[in-house]
Amino acid sequence: MRVVEEEPRVVVMEGSWSAERVIRDIVEDGVQEDPFYVMDLGEVVARYRHWKELMPRVEPFYAVKCNDDKLLVSTLAALGAGFDCASKAEIQLVTGLGVRPDRIIFANPAKPASHIRYASAAGVISMTFDSETELLKTKQYMPHAQLVIRIRCDATSAQCPLGIKFGCDPVAEAPRLLKLAAVMGLNLRWSGHVVRMPNERLAKRLFYSELMNGKRKQGGQFLRYKDVQKRHLANCNIDSTRWEMLAKDR
């Protein structure tokens, strides 16, 4: 192993090497007093390219909370990745690296109102939701947001099952939340994605069932989901009779 170039935080390695060996060398040097970690940026680049090769139509959004190291985030930004930001600080970090706001999704199950206002001011309009409370906050502080519903994934074999913290039940909760979002006049980004799914997928069945069978509440003026869909399409100058074809042709 030979170091051919060194910067304050970046070392370019030549020849055979391993992260374990680098860590051992640092520890045995005896001058490292603070915690540290070793990151192989070449592996980060390789895995991103592997993702794009296997799933070119699926845009990855890196969850900044996993590791907000500026060097790692800037590497992913240079590769063209999107970013899942859970706070004002994470949005500041990513936009500070020159990432466009449309490459950021504000994903937090309990967003502070001040952070929602900041995201809006920064030009970030994509947000997740998985509860009625988040829809109410969105309506109040960022009604123009483009929303993505977060579905719970119960990975029972996972070391940290995040289904207990994130997401809504696809059967018991999602239909009600989608109806509420439609009634509140909020924008849902999922329509174009769902229309490209196989017909047997639950999300598509729920979506088209609501479009075909939505009803106005007796005595009220609530809009059906399909009415809200048409209104949003009209605002974007999109022919509501051709939107499915346009979505499939993305």
Side-chain angles (χ1 to χ4, degrees):
M1 178 180 70
R2 183 168 67 90
V3 177
V4 296
E5 181 180 344
E6 185 170 351
E7 295 293 337
R9 300 191 62 218
V10 181
V11 177
V12 179
M13 313 299 293
E14 183 181 77
S16 178
W17 72 282
S18 69
E20 292 79 7
R21 183 176 173 184
V22 171
I23 293 171
R24 187 180 299 111
D25 288 346
I26 294 173
V27 172
E28 292 177 352
D29 189 53
V31 298
Q32 183 68 35
E33 297 179 342
D34 299 321
F36 68 95
Y37 57 85
V38 173
M39 176 170 51
D40 184 352
L41 289 177
E43 183 67 17
V44 172
V45 173
R47 293 196 179 198
Y48 180 85
R49 289 176 174 171
H50 189 54
W51 174 297
K52 297 297 290 184
E53 178 184 349
L54 295 180
M55 298 185 290
R57 294 177 59 189
V58 180
E59 292 296 330
F61 280 72
Y62 174 71
V64 179
K65 57 179 164 289
C66 293
N67 185 341
D68 63 355
D69 180 83
K70 193 171 183 178
L71 186 58
L72 171 60
V73 175
S74 61
T75 299
L76 290 168
L79 290 169
F83 293 91
D84 169 332
C85 295
S87 66
K88 173 182 176 180
E90 291 181 4
I91 294 174
Q92 288 175 326
L93 169 64
V94 174
T95 55
L97 294 172
V99 176
R100 299 192 315 271
D102 62 355
R103 286 168 56 190
I104 298 172
I105 184 167
F106 189 10
N108 186 321
K111 307 173 192 68
S114 61
H115 291 210
I116 296 176
R117 288 194 294 266
Y118 178 83
S120 179
V124 177
I125 61 173
S126 296
M127 295 202 305
T128 61
F129 74 98
D130 56 17
S131 68
E132 182 176 334
T133 301
E134 288 303 291
L135 286 176
L136 294 172
K137 283 191 292 185
T138 301
K139 179 67 175 179
Q140 181 175 359
Y141 300 111
M142 197 173 169
H144 61 284
Q146 295 184 358
L147 296 173
V148 177
I149 190 167
R150 194 170 197 166
I151 301 297
R152 191 178 77 217
C153 178
D154 293 320
T156 55
S157 61
Q159 184 176 2
C160 298
L162 298 180
I164 61 176
K165 183 177 180 181
F166 301 109
C168 62
D169 185 277
V171 176
E173 298 174 303
R176 177 181 60 83
L177 290 173
L178 292 172
K179 290 178 182 178
L180 178 59
V183 167
M184 296 171 69
L186 296 172
N187 303 310
L188 293 169
R189 290 191 62 184
W190 77 317
S191 301
H193 300 284
V194 173
V195 75
R196 296 195 299 273
M197 291 181 177
N199 291 334
E200 66 273 11
R201 290 285 297 276
L202 176 61
K204 189 167 185 177
R205 288 162 54 198
L206 289 171
F207 180 72
Y208 277 96
S209 173
E210 177 59 15
L211 283 176
M212 291 185 295
N213 302 323
K215 297 179 180 179
R216 296 180 186 274
K217 185 177 180 180
Q218 187 174 5
Q221 297 299 317
F222 293 135
L223 294 176
R224 293 170 294 187
Y225 189 86
K226 65 179 180 181
D227 298 324
V228 177
Q229 173 92 341
K230 290 179 180 178
R231 184 177 65 186
H232 292 326
L233 291 172
N235 290 338
C236 297
N237 296 317
I238 298 175
D239 184 352
S240 62
T241 64
R242 299 179 62 246
W243 77 272
E244 291 170 302
M245 181 185 68
L246 294 172
K248 290 178 180 178
D249 193 41
R250 283 182 54 191

